[in-house]
Amino acid sequence: MHAIEKILAKNSGRREVRTGEIVTAKVDFAEINDLYLQTVYSFYEMGGEKVWDNTRCAFVFDHYAPCPDIKSAANHKEMREFAKKNNLKFHFDTNCGVCHQVMPEAGVIYPGMIVVATDSHTTTHGAFGAMGTGCGATDMATILMTGELWFRVPEIIEVRLEGEAPKGVYPKDVVLAVLGKIRADGAVYKAIDFTGSYVEKLNVAGRMTICNMAVEMGAKTAYMQPNQDVLDYVAKRAVRPYEIQYTDPGYQYAETHVFDVSRLEPELACPSSVENVHPLSEVVANGPVKLDQGYIGSCTGGRTEDIAIAAKILKGRHIPAYTRLVVVPASRDVMQECIAKGYIQDLMDAGATITTPGCGACLGAHEGILAPGEVCITSTNRNFPGRMGSTEALMYLASPATVAASILNGVITDPRPYLDEIV
């Protein structure tokens, strides 16, 4: 069996599972974000009284942090009341950050577990050798009542990433290149196992970036076999004992896609589809792409490593007049580390706006939304019309390095010449 199948078998009390089977499995941790007050309503409508285990579930207030309107404030109020009533051990309020960042930091994510959240980007936690997947309010209410949920055992496809990335090619560039080939519907209700020499050497932040965007290919979940970086990270934080699952030698994947990352250059997902991916050189060859805003943040592009590279490119420089750069750290811990290392000061000196850790403008609610006709280059994960504000705005997805170099010049720009200056 594959490691994902072993996780499903273990949590459903079975010796083995097979593709296509429906199993009922125990959920190790459940997370509800602040878009899903309906979960509370459904819980009570279905007869719920107390959550099944107050140490295995949490609210994360990240999409509206802090609240931009009365409705979101009222939602938070009701969710806080539910959290207090159930004495939840873990509660992440508006001072904490994005769910997919704060949960690993809090040690509730570890290898071999099943984590379900009311957020499609829960695939992120495959970076830790966990099975992470999203669900809706009714399914989440069921989990809160019983600690279990049904799953269909997915087909598993291999995305093998081989080679060493050239300077200027970051995990975001790699996953965009993969997305451009597999497309937005290429892995619907399948699991993606990212393997290969590139993955084996990848740090925690890079692994999270790649697994995060597996859902943009339609994937139900994602997986990476934990490496030493992951094991060191988890060992310092895990709140429970854990068991790493390994894929059996000779496992037959439903499909295999092989990529040589050494042949890549900086990539862009152009408006207005995540699969509309092109090498940066091809985009700029068609003429300058004028920008109104750069954006660095979200559960795929707001970690310390992302903010660090932007700060290093922009240090001692300043963005042009009438443009803006919005930087949204993924968590309070990320913000504090970036302050301590001087990155926040360097970015502010360069003209950046720094906002509260959280989702920010990634869902088009506040903290950097776009006006009609504006163009933004962003390290977030989706560029659908209306995703960051007006349906008439345009978004290019890119690595934080490309975002920084581009907003510095007011047009989409190759970051590699700037990287040569960084010691």
Side-chain angles (χ1 to χ4, degrees):
M1 289 191 294
H2 188 276
I4 291 172
E5 295 170 334
K6 289 182 178 181
I7 292 170
L8 284 169
K10 172 176 64 73
N11 280 35
S12 60
R14 299 175 55 164
R15 293 186 63 183
E16 63 178 31
V17 298
R18 297 183 183 279
T19 301
E21 287 185 318
I22 305 293
V23 300
T24 299
K26 294 184 183 301
V27 173
D28 294 295
F29 200 84
E31 180 267 324
I32 307 97
N33 68 38
D34 50 352
L35 295 177
Y36 280 84
L37 174 60
Q38 180 59 45
T39 299
V40 173
Y41 297 157
S42 296
F43 178 84
Y44 288 129
E45 288 165 3
M46 293 162 61
E49 296 180 0
K50 286 281 189 178
V51 299
W52 98 101
D53 186 336
N54 69 343
T55 70
R56 291 182 179 271
C57 53
F59 287 122
V60 181
F61 296 168
D62 54 0
H63 286 69
Y64 301 110
C67 294
D69 52 42
I70 296 170
K71 177 61 176 173
S72 58
N75 288 357
H76 280 194
K77 182 174 183 288
E78 289 192 65
M79 295 175 89
R80 285 192 190 98
E81 289 169 354
F82 184 90
K84 285 189 284 186
K85 180 179 178 180
N86 285 276
N87 191 29
L88 299 188
K89 180 179 179 181
F90 298 98
H91 174 72
F92 303 94
D93 219 296
T94 57
N95 62 323
C96 293
V98 183
C99 58
H100 306 305
Q101 183 69 22
V102 300
M103 287 195 292
E105 288 174 351
V108 301
I109 305 298
Y110 43 84
M113 73 181 297
I114 294 178
V115 55
V116 182
T118 55
D119 192 284
S120 59
H121 290 104
T122 311
T123 57
T124 303
H125 305 295
F128 299 93
M131 178 183 163
T133 192
C135 76
T138 304
D139 281 342
M140 181 54 70
T142 301
I143 295 171
L144 293 185
M145 291 174 64
T146 68
E148 298 180 341
L149 190 65
W150 69 270
F151 300 89
R152 178 183 175 273
V153 181
E155 287 182 273
I156 301 172
I157 66 176
E158 179 186 27
V159 173
R160 192 186 310 154
L161 305 174
E162 300 286 5
E164 198 164 315
K167 180 178 282 192
V169 173
Y170 294 88
K172 183 60 168 285
D173 299 298
V174 173
V175 75
L176 287 177
V178 172
L179 181 50
K181 294 293 189 296
I182 294 180
R183 318 291 288 183
D185 61 354
V188 172
Y189 214 105
K190 298 175 183 177
I192 299 178
D193 183 4
F194 294 99
T195 69
S197 58
Y198 176 76
V199 173
E200 290 166 6
K201 298 175 183 177
L202 202 53
N203 65 12
V204 170
R207 287 169 161 249
M208 292 175 74
T209 295
I210 289 175
C211 287
N212 177 279
M213 294 197 67
V215 74
E216 310 308 338
M217 303 170 225
K220 182 67 175 175
T221 192
Y223 188 82
M224 290 179 175
Q225 190 66 51
N227 64 4
Q228 196 59 50
D229 275 9
V230 169
L231 296 179
D232 290 344
Y233 183 99
V234 172
K236 294 176 183 176
R237 297 170 174 83
V239 298
R240 287 187 169 85
Y242 53 88
E243 180 183 353
I244 304 169
Q245 301 297 331
Y246 294 91
T247 301
D248 293 336
Y251 177 82
Q252 294 297 307
Y253 291 94
E255 306 167 28
T256 292
H257 304 268
V258 181
F259 295 83
D260 180 358
V261 302
S262 67
R263 300 171 65 88
L264 297 179
E265 62 173 275
E267 305 281 333
L268 295 167
C270 300
S272 291
S273 169
V274 291
E275 67 179 32
N276 186 19
V277 177
H278 300 274
L280 187 148
S281 61
E282 181 181 305
V283 175
V284 299
N286 294 321
V289 179
K290 186 178 181 300
L291 300 169
D292 299 288
Q293 177 170 291
Y295 189 96
I296 295 172
S298 90
C299 55
T300 194
R303 281 174 273 280
T304 300
E305 291 83 350
D306 303 318
I307 295 170
I309 190 60
K312 290 174 181 177
I313 288 172
L314 290 168
K315 185 174 184 178
R317 298 183 168 102
H318 203 283
I319 64 174
Y322 307 110
T323 65
R324 57 199 187 271
L325 170 62
V326 180
V327 178
V328 188
S331 74
R332 176 181 55 197
D333 287 359
V334 169
M335 172 78 92
Q336 290 176 329
E337 184 177 0
C338 289
I339 289 172
K341 292 185 175 181
Y343 303 146
I344 297 298
Q345 189 64 58
D346 289 339
L347 288 166
M348 291 180 70
D349 289 345
T353 300
I354 313 297
T355 77
T356 308
C359 297
C362 183
L363 74 157
H366 62 153
E367 295 184 332
I369 60 176
L370 301 172
E374 289 194 313
V375 181
C376 178
I377 187 164
T378 173
S379 70
T380 55
N381 41 37
R382 288 179 178 158
N383 62 348
F384 311 137
R387 176 68 180 181
M388 292 181 69
S390 171
T391 56
E392 298 172 42
L394 299 177
M395 288 150 282
Y396 291 80
L397 304 182
S399 75
T402 299
V403 172
S406 296
I407 199 62
L408 177 61
N409 290 283
V411 295
I412 290 178
T413 301
D414 192 326
R416 288 174 290 189
Y418 295 96
L419 300 176
D420 291 336
E421 302 172 14
I422 296 172
V423 177

